[in-house]
Amino acid sequence: MTSPALVAFDLDDTLAPSKGPIDARIAAQLHALLAKVDVAIISGGNETQFRAQVIARLGEMDDAIAARLHLLPTCGTRYLRHDGTDFAALYAHDLSAQQKDDALTALREEAERLGLWETEPWGDILEDRGSQITFSALGQKAPRDAKHDWDPSGSKREALRDAVAERLPDLEVRSGGSTSIDITLAGIDKAYGMRKLAEHTRIPLSSMLFYGDRLDEGGNDYPVLAIGVPSVAVEGWEDTAAKLDELLKTL
């Protein structure tokens, strides 16, 4: 493809260690990208995580640069743009109170039934992110190694996803990260978020470039690839940084 007009990223294990802040090297590369093209980040993480992991690490940005940064927390159920003062929501597709209760109940009951409910997790297992309910099998603060070792084949997540989806036919239930299940309004995934991004920026999907660590079929980045966005598979933020060095030479 020709040089992209917009470069998009997954966050955890693509731009940053899971739940961790972006490295100074990634921050510098994002600034270099923003000087040339629009940049988007789309992830299952909530807005608070985006602010801690990314915005706080980018430091001061002038308004013109900040306007080129597009943030899509909770898989694109929210879309934040800089309004000249701060990053504010252009939209937020929140779940109703009943939908949240149903999702939380189904996740706990099915995880317990399948033997996947941890009694000593690292932090909360269930989280209400407003527009998304997230199940983290080992807890929100679980160390990276433990998370990667929990379900390398994906069979545990698949079994839980299928069981919960059967109970919530009117909601979207999908595997998230290495230990997580995400629930949103029906029809909303990263493909939805990328289409909304194209709509708001008027940049066609074919002129974007996406980096993600879960582009395999069934991975939570796969919907982006499936709708035709040119995509680059990475294995951790260090791999992303190396590939961005090469991309920046071409812009």
Side-chain angles (χ1 to χ4, degrees), residues 69-194:
L69 181 58
H70 311 262
L71 302 176
L72 295 99
T74 50
C75 295
T77 58
R78 293 175 181 267
Y79 180 15
L80 309 177
R81 291 287 302 276
H82 202 269
D83 61 6
T85 302
D86 195 5
F87 286 90
L90 291 184
Y91 69 72
H93 300 311
D94 288 342
L95 295 161
S96 70
Q98 186 62 59
Q99 288 169 326
K100 292 177 183 180
D101 286 345
D102 291 345
L104 291 165
T105 299
L107 283 166
R108 173 145 196 164
E109 290 181 353
E110 293 304 320
E112 289 177 339
R113 183 180 66 81
L114 293 167
L116 301 178
W117 187 266
E118 293 291 329
T119 57
E120 297 182 2
W122 287 275
D124 294 335
I125 292 176
L126 297 174
E127 184 183 4
D128 177 357
R129 297 179 175 177
S131 52
Q132 178 176 291
I133 297 296
T134 295
F135 167 91
S136 298
L138 302 179
Q140 285 291 323
K141 299 178 181 179
R144 183 178 181 182
D145 289 347
K147 291 170 67 173
H148 284 190
D149 292 342
W150 181 73
D151 185 26
S153 70
S155 60
K156 294 178 182 178
R157 279 169 292 153
E158 183 178 356
L160 181 57
R161 191 218 73 83
D162 290 349
V164 172
E166 187 172 346
R167 292 181 53 167
L168 304 173
D170 297 327
L171 295 176
E172 189 80 24
V173 184
R174 61 185 174 276
S175 296
S178 55
T179 64
S180 63
I181 300 293
D182 296 327
I183 299 177
T184 63
L185 294 174
I188 297 182
D189 57 11
K190 286 186 179 179
Y192 173 89
M194 294 300 288

Side-chain angles (χ1 to χ4, degrees), residues 161-249:
R161 191 218 73 83
D162 290 349
V164 172
E166 187 172 346
R167 292 181 53 167
L168 304 173
D170 297 327
L171 295 176
E172 189 80 24
V173 184
R174 61 185 174 276
S175 296
S178 55
T179 64
S180 63
I181 300 293
D182 296 327
I183 299 177
T184 63
L185 294 174
I188 297 182
D189 57 11
K190 286 186 179 179
Y192 173 89
M194 294 300 288
R195 288 191 175 106
K196 295 299 287 186
L197 186 61
E199 177 185 320
H200 281 273
T201 62
R202 299 186 180 180
I203 296 173
L205 296 173
S206 59
S207 296
M208 299 179 182
L209 182 63
F210 176 76
Y211 290 76
D213 71 309
R214 294 288 311 283
L215 285 165
D216 53 299
E217 189 167 358
N220 65 344
D221 294 324
Y222 180 75
V224 180
L225 178 64
I227 60 172
V229 179
S231 300
V232 178
V234 298
E235 297 180 0
W237 74 264
E238 299 94 338
D239 187 28
T240 301
K243 289 174 177 174
L244 283 181
D245 281 340
E246 297 305 310
L247 175 66
L248 284 164
K249 293 174 184 177

Side-chain angles (χ1 to χ4, degrees), residues 33-53:
L33 282 172
L34 286 164
K36 300 174 181 292
V37 298
D38 282 34
V39 171
I41 301 172
I42 182 168
S43 170
N46 62 24
E47 182 177 334
T48 299
Q49 288 173 247
F50 270 60
R51 291 184 180 277
Q53 290 179 262

